[in-house]
Every structure is written in structure tokens, then in C-alpha cells.
Amino acid sequence: MDSSASTVVVLDFETTGLSPDHGNRAIEIGAVKLVDGVIVDRFQQLMNPGRKISFFIEDFTGITNGMLQNAPSCEETMCSFAQFVQDFSLVAHNASFDARFLRSEFERIHHVQDEPFACSMLAARRIYPNAPNHKLETLVRYKNLPSDGNYHRALADAEMTAHLWKAILDDISTQYGISHIPFRLMQKLTRTAKQSVPRLLSCINQHDERS
């Protein structure tokens, strides 16, 4: 699989709560597949967690118990999603949240999740330090990215995150003259202190020029 940061699956979960460690489950997954920065495929599915969801979650997501009643099970949905991911690298906004649920739901179907993950929120904090904050909706407005204004639904959030991820890559490429951005560089970027980011990316540019 291409190791480029522009060839990834960008995903988002809606869930019954904040942590699978407390018994919470996924209720919707949305994802888009980027190849060379172009959306080539989409995945979206509500899933029945086997229990009723709270009024707070219904109000927050717009997903109702009635909508979930006849939805496929989490297990059935995650089997399909595993086929969609293949061996693509993964991106999410606040990825620690989505990675926990992805790992938990995959474990229930005995699927090992070993694709590398990167976080668009952490990347945005390094590249857009002057943004008002680094919530997805704020960054979408800050960068004037495509949006239907429908937040907290999985596919809509995944598509907006994909546009944000592409904007981050484009801005790195323009500002630092890096023609090919490896996925592992973006992972390293998210672990780098903000004040050290210019040095990191400048060094990559110099290496490219010498190659």
C-alpha cells in the first residue's frame, strides 16, 4: 500500500458514550477513502448496539432508538468495514477516541487492527496554531472547507475531516516545499512540540532537495 499521507481512510464514530472501557458501543460509522488526496469511496452505516441509547445521545447526534432498531449489528457492520479499510492507513479527528472504539469493536469480531493511525486535530494544532480552537467545526470555518453544516453524524464528519486533512497536507507542501509527505511524517508531526515543527519540516525539505 502507498505510504503517502494523501492515501488514507478517514473515519468517524458516533457512540453511546465516551469510552468502550465503560461498556459503550458504536452506533454509527462513516468513512471516506482518499487516494492521492481524492475521495474515491465512502462507507456509512448505522449499527444496533443491542441496547437503547440515551436521550442525550439522541439529541447530540440526531440518531434515534427508532433508527437503530432495524440497523445491522455492530459485529456485522464491523466485518464489512474491515473489508473497506483493507490495509490503508487511518485518520480521525481526535483519533484517540475513534481508535479506542475501532479497536474495541474489531476485537469483538476477532479482527486485529494494526493499520497505523494519525490525528488531524493534533496535526492542525501544529500547522494552524492561530486557529481560535481546534474543534472540527471551527477548523472547517477557519479554512473555509466544504461542509453541509451537519455535524455529529459520522459520514459528514469523516468527509469534513478528509477535507481538513487534505488542506493540512497542501499547506505543509506549499509552506515547506515538500513534494511527497509520508504518512509516518504526519505521525511524527503530531508527536512533535509545536515550537519544533518548523525545524522538523524544514529538515525534510532539505533532505528532499539533496535526494
Side-chain angles (χ1 to χ4, degrees), residues 100-111:
R100 287 196 301 271
F101 276 95
L102 183 67
R103 190 176 303 110
S104 175
E105 294 294 348
F106 271 164
E107 284 177 355
R108 290 173 179 269
I109 61 169
H110 308 292
H111 177 80

Side-chain angles (χ1 to χ4, degrees), residues 39-113:
I39 295 177
V40 298
D41 203 359
R42 292 171 172 82
F43 184 99
Q44 185 276 332
Q45 184 61 62
L46 291 169
M47 54 185 112
N48 189 334
R51 71 191 70 164
K52 288 190 178 296
I53 61 174
S54 69
F55 174 76
F56 172 81
I57 294 298
E58 285 189 314
D59 185 59
F60 183 72
T61 64
I63 298 170
T64 67
N65 282 294
M67 293 166 64
L68 297 177
Q69 185 175 1
N70 296 317
S73 67
C74 295
E75 289 76 10
E76 181 182 346
T77 299
M78 295 311 295
C79 284
S80 298
F81 186 65
Q83 296 176 6
F84 179 84
V85 170
Q86 299 173 328
D87 57 353
F88 276 64
S89 300
L90 304 173
V91 172
H93 202 72
N94 190 17
S96 62
F97 174 88
D98 295 280
R100 287 196 301 271
F101 276 95
L102 183 67
R103 190 176 303 110
S104 175
E105 294 294 348
F106 271 164
E107 284 177 355
R108 290 173 179 269
I109 61 169
H110 308 292
H111 177 80
V112 178
Q113 191 273 305

Side-chain angles (χ1 to χ4, degrees), residues 123-179:
R125 285 178 178 171
R126 272 70 180 174
I127 302 303
Y128 306 131
N130 297 322
N133 61 58
H134 295 88
K135 296 177 181 179
L136 180 59
E137 52 265 43
T138 301
L139 291 165
V140 166
R141 290 192 297 269
Y142 181 73
K143 292 298 296 178
N144 194 28
L145 300 174
S147 168
D148 63 4
N150 186 21
Y151 295 97
H152 307 303
R153 287 301 302 269
L155 183 58
D157 282 1
E159 292 205 12
M160 286 183 283
T161 300
H163 290 305
L164 172 63
W165 184 252
K166 179 67 164 48
I168 292 170
L169 297 180
D170 287 346
D171 287 342
I172 290 173
S173 180
T174 299
Q175 185 172 350
Y176 294 95
I178 304 172
S179 56

